[in-house]
Amino acid sequence: MSRIAYVNGRYLRHDDAQVHVEDRGYQFSDGVYEVAAVCRGRVIDEEPHLDRLECSLAELRMDLPLPRSALRLVTREVLRRNRVRDGMVYLQVTRGAAARDHPFPEEAIGAVVLTARPVRWPEAAADDGGVAVVSMPDGRWGRCDVKSVSLLPNVLAKQAAREQGAYEAWFVDAEGRVTEGSSTNAWIVDDAGRVVTRDLESNILGGITRQRVIGLAREAGLEVAERAFTLAEAQAAPEAFLTSTTSFVRGIVSIDGHTVGSGAPGPATVRLRELYLDYCRNGRANR
Ligand code: PDD
């Protein structure tokens, strides 16, 4: 079965799915995107993803290219045509094609691409042995809250991490405080048992998984603090973990070669992973 992509109103085989050479996403990174997980046929947190897409587009002074109802329908159709019940959806919106010139073109029509692919999500919370992260200076632009396709620093950081045998790169700001990972949000559990993740400012992406995990943690009676933490605090913390749409909740067992906690995902991390997996599987999606 060949994969099918949605491109500007048409469903095309992947091999035939193309965008214009002068698409402003290609030439200027003048576009934004969303990635959502699909579990048992449901798009997890679809509405928050669409809310964030609208916020990102607003920063580019663009409107949603299709009404939400149409985007939901296109998503269902792409999932159906690709027979994806467990997997991910990628949605990208750019300012579209125009003769190359920096200011916004008068007449470009936003370009929309939607793809889906199957992914085998983790079966059990205990599946996670934990991963290593390495730190690097955060040299990104000041508007990391916009989910822009301009991901070069993130790509370079992730590649550097992988070359050092780590799963993720943690960005650190000029004050030595962790902002986030190259494609994940960063968390620790502090000595008082509080679950800590950086507060939302323009220097991190407001992760949909982050928000969901905050809610699940509070429902489970865990105290959550949204505040910055330093790299040193994270290295000395009893637990650390990361979250994202595609990584779910994953324990961190090493930061720049320093073992975190016992060297295995800690109890709060495993509990939150369990709660998030359960949330994805058992029908509370789209709330
Ligand atoms: N990345 N921070 C950054 C820089 C990200 O790119 C992402 C997501 C996150 C986590 O956000 P969410 O929980 O909404 O997935 C944090 C996606 C998965 C990606 O680029 O593939």
Side-chain angles (χ1 to χ4, degrees):
M1 193 191 81
S2 61
R3 284 183 70 196
I4 303 291
Y6 172 89
V7 185
N8 296 325
R10 297 196 295 161
Y11 295 94
L12 301 170
R13 290 182 45 219
H14 260 243
D15 290 349
D16 305 323
Q18 292 167 357
V19 292
H20 198 281
V21 288
E22 286 195 309
D23 187 277
R24 288 178 62 94
Y26 178 57
Q27 292 191 326
F28 293 115
S29 297
D30 191 358
V32 298
Y33 75 104
E34 281 298 324
V35 181
V38 181
C39 280
R40 299 181 176 175
R42 284 193 314 275
V43 182
I44 304 303
D45 285 330
E46 185 171 28
E47 297 315 310
H49 278 287
L50 290 174
D51 291 341
R52 186 172 65 185
L53 178 67
E54 274 198 76
C55 289
S56 296
L57 284 168
E59 295 298 332
L60 272 60
R61 285 190 267 149
M62 289 177 66
D63 293 323
L64 270 186
L66 300 172
R68 273 183 183 233
S69 53
L71 280 176
R72 285 189 211 105
L73 277 178
V74 170
T75 303
R76 299 294 170 288
E77 189 58 18
V78 170
L79 291 173
R80 191 185 68 76
R81 289 184 188 231
N82 289 282
R83 295 192 199 150
V84 172
R85 276 188 54 76
D86 288 289
M88 54 186 268
V89 181
Y90 178 80
L91 169 60
Q92 178 172 316
V93 181
T94 70
R95 203 179 303 278
R100 187 180 181 283
D101 194 12
H102 289 67
F104 300 165
E106 302 258 310
E107 303 221 323
I109 299 172
V112 185
V113 169
L114 204 146
T115 57
R117 67 178 161 87
V119 179
R120 287 182 71 136
W121 298 123
E123 297 288 326
D127 286 354
D128 179 28
V131 294
V133 300
V134 288
S135 66
M136 36 205 93
D138 197 341
R140 299 175 299 161
W141 73 322
R143 291 305 309 273
C144 299
D145 55 321
V146 179
K147 198 158 172 60
S148 149
V149 293
S150 182
L151 291 172
L152 183 59
N154 307 60
V155 167
L156 295 177
K158 184 82 89 184
Q159 181 62 23
R162 294 292 161 93
E163 285 170 9
Q164 293 172 57
Y167 178 77
E168 178 60 304
W170 267 10
F171 290 123
V172 178
D173 67 17
E175 286 80 47
R177 301 176 311 174
V178 176
T179 48
E180 62 179 336
S182 70
S183 65
T184 58
N185 287 114
W187 303 68
I188 58 170
V189 178
D190 70 12
D191 289 327
R194 277 184 298 255
V195 180
V196 182
T197 193
R198 188 147 181 160
D199 46 322
L200 292 182
E201 282 180 56
S202 54
N203 51 9
I204 70 164
L205 182 74
I208 305 298
T209 321
R210 172 189 177 283
Q211 205 55 44
R212 183 59 62 194
V213 169
I214 288 175
L216 292 170
R218 289 192 170 135
E219 273 174 35
L222 294 168
E223 199 180 327
V224 179
E226 293 180 68
R227 64 161 176 89
F229 54 85
T230 63
L231 197 59
E233 184 181 0
Q235 285 171 330
E239 299 185 44
F241 61 97
L242 54 83
T243 58
S244 81
T245 294
T246 47
S247 289
F248 287 30
V249 176
R250 242 175 136 182
I252 291 172
V253 294
S254 153
I255 302 172
D256 286 341
H258 294 259
T259 301
V260 177
S262 66
T269 304
V270 175
R271 175 93 180 106
L272 290 171
R273 181 173 161 87
E274 204 166 66
L275 289 170
Y276 188 70
L277 276 173
D278 188 52
Y279 168 75
C280 290
R281 290 208 190 105
N282 294 324
R284 296 204 301 136
N286 291 330
R287 269 210 324 195

